[in-house]
Structure formats: structure tokens, C-alpha cells
Amino acid sequence: MRKPRSRATRGAPTLADVAARAGVSPATASRVLHQSTRRVGQQHRERVLRAARELDYRPDLSAQAIARGTAPVLALLVSSIDDPYFSAIAEGVARSAQRHGVIVTIALTGRDTARELTSLRTILGQRPRAVLVGGSRTVGSPHADALVAELRTLADSGGRAVFIGRPADGLPAVRPANLGGARALGAAVAGLGYRRAVVVTGSGRLETVRERTDGLGRGLAANGGRIIAVESDAFDRGGGYRATRRLLRSGGLGAADVLCAGNDFMAVGAMTALRDGGLRPGHDIAVTGFNDIETAADVTPRLTTVHFPLAEIGARAAALALAPGPLHGEDVLVPGLVRVRDSCPDRSAGRPHDPPPPG
């Protein structure tokens, strides 16, 4: 009598194997395991899932992509994941994707538009169900039109494309309300008695940088303040440190009473540079950030910033991309909330706003 072949001998279990063990048709097993929209009775569903576990069945994503046109994959393009801003968004994306029964693949673009386009084309070759494009778009990028064209082709062929940032070409987006949040921050800072702001931020080619700097200026101006200088560098901690060191060497901070960083990561670097230059953040000069990453309330002094629910933004973008039904050009703006902390003590009732005129 021949001994039955072990699973290792006969290869990986197939959908037919699962169906046979569960006592159902292959079509029923497929509906359960491939998240079909057709309903399967609870009893049959439990039998199929139990058989799949016992056989250690793994769906063939490539076969699904060929059969259905897409794989159960959500692709996320972000600048980096060592930046707490993007890691928080990615966490929200992953949480939402899990609820929808898909896996997440992440491509890191480093704010390089050519790399972003190349990554997108590679990902599209894997037939993902949806693509999320995170990170600030770059003004004047030579690759912008090609990127949008690839996403439009995906959308027109039944896939889904959503920006986590400003929308383009009628494609939907979920994004923080950068302009409104920055305007509220500027108004709050001026209301605390600060009138002369130096901005330390990323490249002016980044749309996020433009929105935040513009909003900050508007909020300050509405309450008698102004931006007296803008120093740009990389949109990260190192950039905040280097930009602030340059301002210290050039005397650019001499007339300022508040340093406004383009994001919290830059603010942390700026505060280190201030200390290295003999200044006390929150005492000799106020400091603000943007985004309210987890460490903003843990640094010393605690950082005044604009809070955005970053994980929620990621989750909402993923849910929009994976929801059934038609997807139109929604532009979901998520408002921010100013959180005033120790780095901006209230001086509105104390020292004068401006130095006395000469003579």
C-alpha cells in the first residue's frame, strides 16, 4: 500500500485542497478566502477558514492579480519612515488596510521626484488595488505630469489613487489643513506677544512649506506681527539645526523674538542649535513647530505646535482608497489645533512688543 505523500512532497496546498477538506465547492472556498462580495453562509465560512488554517494555505497573490486584475495590496509612497510624521501616517494606513483585508507595501522616495515616479511604475507592475501618494508635492517638478498620468491610468483601469497631500487632476486627497493651521499658529503666537518671527523651514519648492509659511505670515500680520527672515534647509532635524546655526553666525536671530520651524523635527534641531549658541529656547527666544509628533510634548521646553491626527489622516486615506463604489475627486481637509506649551511663554502683558525707536 502506497503511503500518502506529505504536503512538503506534493507541494503547497491549493484552493482545491482547502475546498475538499472543508467539504465545499472550490467556488465557495474562493469566495471566502478572496473576500468576494458574494455572501457565504457562516457555517461554510468557518469550515473554509478552519481548513485553510489546518493546511497552512497561502493565497497566490500573483494568480489573484491575473484573475481579478488587481492584487489585495495597498501601496504607500512616502518620503521616509524615520520621520515621525510619515511613520504615524503609515501606522494609520496599515490599521485601515488590515480592516479591509489587504496588505501594505511601502516605497521610500526621499522627496526625490524621479525616484517617486520610478517607484510608482514598479509598484503598478504588481497590480495593486490602490496607491496612496504621501509627502509634499514639489512645485515645478519635471516628473509631476508623468506621475499624475500614471495615477490617472490606474484610476481609469479600475484601480484607486489617493493623495495624502494636495490633490491633482481631479484625483482625491486626504490632507492636513496646513494653511489654516499655520494661520492659527501665527495668530496664537502674536497673541502671546511675539511680533518678529524667523522661519526655519524646508525648500520653498515644497507645497507644504509654501502653505505653512504663507499661513504663518497671515496669522502674524492679523495681530501686528511679521516674518522678518526665512532660512531654508532639508525638511528634517538636521536641516533645522544647520539653518539655525547659520542664522546665529550671521546675526539673523538678533531682531527675532520667536523662531518658527516648518515641522517639529526641524524645531528639535533648531533648539539644539540655539543651546549650542548659548541661547535658551523658550526663554531667550520662543520656538514653535508643526504637526505635534509624539516627542513634541517630551522635549525641554515642551514644544508649541499645531496638532494633526496623523494616524487618522492615514487611516482615512486608506479607507477612501479601499471603499467600494465610485471614487470622485474628494479633497478631505483635516483641521489642526494649536497647542501652546512652554516653548512660547505668554509675554503679552510684560515686555514691549518692539524695541523703542532710536534717539
Side-chain angles (χ1 to χ4, degrees), residues 208-281:
T208 294
V209 168
R210 291 190 174 192
E211 286 184 329
R212 293 180 181 180
T213 305
D214 183 24
L216 186 67
R218 293 186 196 183
L220 285 163
N223 290 274
R226 67 187 187 279
I227 295 174
I228 62 174
V230 176
E231 188 73 20
S232 299
D233 207 292
F235 209 31
D236 55 25
R237 183 188 180 282
Y241 183 89
R242 290 189 297 270
T244 304
R245 290 291 291 175
R246 289 197 298 271
L247 287 167
L248 287 166
R249 288 194 296 268
S250 68
L253 290 179
D257 52 19
V258 59
L259 184 152
C260 299
N263 62 37
D264 294 341
F265 228 14
M266 293 195 82
V268 171
M271 288 197 291
T272 300
L274 290 172
R275 291 191 184 93
D276 289 351
L279 296 179
R280 294 166 294 175

Side-chain angles (χ1 to χ4, degrees), residues 22-198:
V24 300
S25 69
T28 296
S30 177
R31 292 182 192 121
V32 172
L33 297 172
H34 298 160
Q35 290 88 44
S36 170
T37 56
R38 296 185 62 180
R39 294 182 63 84
V40 175
Q42 185 63 26
Q43 183 180 14
H44 284 169
R45 177 180 175 80
E46 291 176 355
R47 283 161 51 186
V48 170
L49 293 175
R50 182 170 60 250
R53 288 194 301 270
E54 292 172 351
L55 292 173
D56 195 24
Y57 171 74
R58 297 286 188 271
D60 187 335
L61 299 185
S62 297
Q64 288 186 37
I66 293 172
R68 301 166 63 181
T70 62
V73 171
L74 173 64
L76 172 63
L77 278 69
V78 291
S79 298
S80 67
I81 54 173
D82 60 351
D83 185 329
Y85 175 88
F86 292 113
S87 61
I89 287 176
E91 191 276 330
V93 169
R95 188 172 65 236
S96 181
Q98 185 178 27
R99 289 197 295 267
H100 286 82
V102 304
I103 62 174
V104 177
T105 62
I106 298 178
L108 306 181
T109 62
R111 293 195 176 89
D112 181 331
T113 57
R115 183 174 166 188
E116 185 178 52
L117 179 59
T118 300
S119 298
L120 175 63
R121 286 172 170 166
T122 301
I123 286 170
L124 292 180
Q126 301 169 7
R127 302 186 183 183
R129 184 179 303 178
V131 173
L132 303 180
V133 180
S136 176
R137 291 169 56 208
T138 302
V139 177
S141 165
H143 309 290
D145 290 343
L147 180 80
V148 172
E150 294 284 358
L151 294 172
R152 173 54 63 191
T153 298
L154 170 67
D156 292 344
S157 63
R160 313 286 281 254
V162 175
F163 285 102
I164 304 178
R166 290 180 63 85
D169 194 35
L171 295 169
V174 179
R175 57 190 174 111
N178 284 313
L179 184 64
R183 185 168 55 238
L185 177 63
V189 166
L192 292 170
Y194 300 96
R195 294 294 185 269
R196 300 174 302 281
V198 166

Side-chain angles (χ1 to χ4, degrees), residues 279-306:
L279 296 179
R280 294 166 294 175
H283 188 277
D284 298 316
I285 186 169
V287 180
T288 71
F290 212 93
N291 294 329
D292 198 23
I293 61 176
E294 285 190 355
T295 56
D298 297 330
V299 296
T300 303
R302 296 184 308 145
L303 184 62
T304 293
T305 186
V306 179

